[in-house]
């Protein structure tokens, strides 16, 4: 029996180069580092292991429990704390040198008011010389006219014992609200391809256009310092599929 978080860790390994990118900013930060939507600690734990003073904030108790277990298993990590909380409304009583939101977690905020609440909260938790770094995918204009529902096989992932996991997303788009409602299913198949288990979960993302994000950041009192189209720091341009932003309090 596997849990949602086991399937999450098996299939959600980040974007090419994202961990190294965030590590660079974390090491350069003049103060402690806070990760919002830290999940099961994919980014948080290795950074803490590398000696960075880390706090991970996560809304899901299940994800957080897995992060704590993984950190305990890694052993000997100092300066790491996990907090159950909501990035739209948190008060940690201290300020950070860097606040990061890797792996598009910002898109879990489904209304402009929620996005602004989170950004204003982040601003209050940043030192004057602190930075906010995060990434979101670039919505493809094709989404605005292609079919409003689709089922996609996202990938096949081998388990050690010869079994494998198929990950499917059924996505419904609400173009007016800019929402993608995703029903994700993990199907575990034995060596003969016979399904042993299906675990399903739902989440909704609000996709954000780059210009929209600039306005939101300005409204929340930030200035954009850097922007990239890849974690190798390619310039952001019309071909970019990812939008990576480095901002600071204005
Ligand atoms: C795509 S995962 C990213 C996990 C981790 N940062 C990583 O890079 O692997 C998004 C995470 O954001 C969390 N999340 C969603 N809404 C949140 C909120 N309002 N406050 C805090 N965490 C939230 C989800 O529970 C999920 O664990």
């Amino acid at each position: 029996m596997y849990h949602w978080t086991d399937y999450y860790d098996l299939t959600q390994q980040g974007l090419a180069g994202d961990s190294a990118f965030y590590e660079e900013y974390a090491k350069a930060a003049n103060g402690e580092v806070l990760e919002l939507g830290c999940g099961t600690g994919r980014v948080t734990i290795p950074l803490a292991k590398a000696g960075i003073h880390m706090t991970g904030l996560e809304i899901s108790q299940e994800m957080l429990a897995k992060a704590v277990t993984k950190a305990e298993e890694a052993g000997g990590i100092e300066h790491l704390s996990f907090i159950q909380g909501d990035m739209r409304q948190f008060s940690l009583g201290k300020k950070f040198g860097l606040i990061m939101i890797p792996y598009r977690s910002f898109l879990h905020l489904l209304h402009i008011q929620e996005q602004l609440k989170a950004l204003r909260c982040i601003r209050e938790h940043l030192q004057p010389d602190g930075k906010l770094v995060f990434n979101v995918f670039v919505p493809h204009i094709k989404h605005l006219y292609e079919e409003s529902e689709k089922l996609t096989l996202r990938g096949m992932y081998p388990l050690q014992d010869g079994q494998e996991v198929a990950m499917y997303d059924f996505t419904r788009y609400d173009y007016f609200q800019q929402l993608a409602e995703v029903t994700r299913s993990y199907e575990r198949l034995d060596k003969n391809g016979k399904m042993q288990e299906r675990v399903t979960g739902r989440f909704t993302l609000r996709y954000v256009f780059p210009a929209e994000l600039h306005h939101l950041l300005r409204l929340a009192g930030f200035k954009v310092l850097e922007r990239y189209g890849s974690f190798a720091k390619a310039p952001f341009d019309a071909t970019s599929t990812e939008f990576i932003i480095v901002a600071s309090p204005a």
Side-chain angles (χ1 to χ4, degrees):
M1 176 76 186
Y2 292 76
H3 293 283
W4 173 265
T5 53
D6 301 322
Y7 289 120
Y8 179 89
D9 277 353
L10 176 71
T11 59
Q12 306 300 297
Q13 311 233 329
L15 302 167
D18 69 347
S19 299
F21 180 91
Y22 281 104
E23 184 174 346
E24 179 193 327
Y25 285 86
K27 284 190 167 155
N30 179 27
E32 293 184 30
V33 177
L34 171 65
E35 182 187 353
L36 299 176
C38 67
T40 62
R42 178 183 69 89
V43 179
T44 343
I45 295 170
L47 290 186
K49 244 180 157 172
I52 294 158
H53 206 131
M54 291 295 302
T55 301
L57 182 140
E58 165 62 44
I59 201 165
S60 154
Q61 183 59 57
E62 206 188 351
M63 297 292 265
L64 207 59
K66 180 96 192 250
V68 170
T69 305
K70 281 163 68 177
E72 283 168 2
E73 281 168 7
I77 304 179
E78 287 177 66
H79 308 307
L80 170 63
S81 27
F82 287 114
I83 296 171
Q84 189 181 15
D86 187 334
M87 71 172 99
R88 293 165 294 188
Q89 194 174 18
F90 59 95
S91 179
L92 304 182
K94 60 178 170 182
K95 294 195 187 275
F96 294 84
L98 176 73
I99 299 183
M100 54 165 75
I101 322 176
Y103 218 6
R104 306 165 175 167
S105 306
F106 187 78
L107 302 184
H108 285 276
L109 309 179
L110 303 184
H111 304 281
I112 290 168
Q113 286 314 321
E114 293 186 3
Q115 295 167 338
L116 278 173
K117 269 171 77 175
L119 288 173
R120 287 183 176 136
C121 221
I122 290 167
R123 200 183 180 291
E124 291 203 344
H125 283 80
L126 272 181
Q127 296 167 190
D129 62 347
K131 286 180 180 168
L132 164 64
V133 187
F134 67 114
N135 65 285
V136 296
F137 69 81
V138 181
H140 201 294
I141 206 76
K142 210 171 76 181
H143 286 162
L144 298 175
Y145 62 82
E146 73 183 6
E147 75 272 31
S148 58
E149 296 185 348
K150 66 175 179 186
L151 179 67
T152 317
L153 173 62
R154 290 279 183 204
M156 301 294 297
Y157 303 86
L159 288 167
Q160 274 158 359
D161 51 8
Q163 299 187 85
E164 56 181 355
V165 173
M167 182 175 99
Y168 291 94
D169 279 350
F170 176 73
T171 310
R172 273 179 34 196
Y173 293 100
D174 175 340
Y175 306 125
F176 183 66
Q177 306 280 355
Q178 292 180 207
L179 298 179
E181 296 166 8
V182 184
T183 303
R184 175 162 293 174
S185 303
Y186 295 113
E187 292 184 0
R188 181 161 53 84
L189 312 171
D190 70 12
K191 285 179 201 147
N192 304 315
K194 188 162 177 279
M195 191 166 57
Q196 302 300 302
E197 166 176 67
R198 178 189 285 128
V199 173
T200 297
R202 290 198 176 80
F203 57 91
T204 302
L205 303 176
R206 181 177 195 276
Y207 49 92
V208 189
F209 292 93
E212 202 185 353
L213 211 41
H214 274 280
H215 294 310
L216 277 173
L217 285 163
R218 273 192 65 176
L219 261 177
F222 285 93
K223 60 175 184 271
V224 174
L225 301 177
E226 298 159 44
R227 49 181 217 160
Y228 302 107
S230 79
F231 290 105
K233 297 194 177 177
F236 182 73
D237 65 23
T239 63
S240 304
T241 55
E242 201 67 22
F243 188 37
I244 303 158
I245 288 200
V246 181
S248 69

